[in-house]
Amino acid sequence: SVGFIGSGMMASSLMDGLMANKVVASADCISCSDVYQPALASAKQKGYHATSSNAEVCSRAKDGAILLAVKPHIIPDVCKDVADAGGD
């Protein structure tokens, strides 16, 4: 499974590419988080697991990869969320 913290334009393109190139078995293997509700709605429409919780993304992707797809000034907060969720 693959998790994206952030589900804006960059993350959306990467998620779509994973699906188009059959890197993941199904859209359910992709989870993403964001604070922007329209981005989450778009991800849900594509079948991705979309949430406002970074911890939930970390939990769902614990045996896969977590990609940080947020603006640079958000990275410190996101790293704290990942650490708090038990990520290395």
Side-chain angles (χ1 to χ4, degrees):
S1 63
V2 181
F4 288 85
I5 297 184
S7 56
M9 299 294 286
M10 178 176 56
S12 180
S13 293
L14 291 168
M15 290 185 278
D16 294 346
L18 291 174
M19 287 297 299
N21 290 292
K22 298 181 171 75
V23 175
V24 294
S26 70
D28 191 51
C29 295
I30 297 174
S31 58
C32 61
S33 62
D34 209 302
V35 296
Y36 187 58
Q37 291 303 313
L40 292 177
S42 177
K44 284 181 183 178
Q45 279 185 323
K46 296 176 183 181
Y48 307 137
H49 179 83
T51 177
S52 60
S53 169
N54 293 340
E56 187 174 343
V57 170
C58 292
S59 177
R60 287 179 54 89
K62 66 182 174 191
D63 295 327
I66 298 170
L67 288 87
L68 307 183
V70 297
K71 305 250 188 266
H73 69 279
I74 308 282
I75 293 286
D77 292 333
V78 167
C79 288
K80 182 179 181 324
D81 289 347
V82 172
D84 290 348
D88 292 329

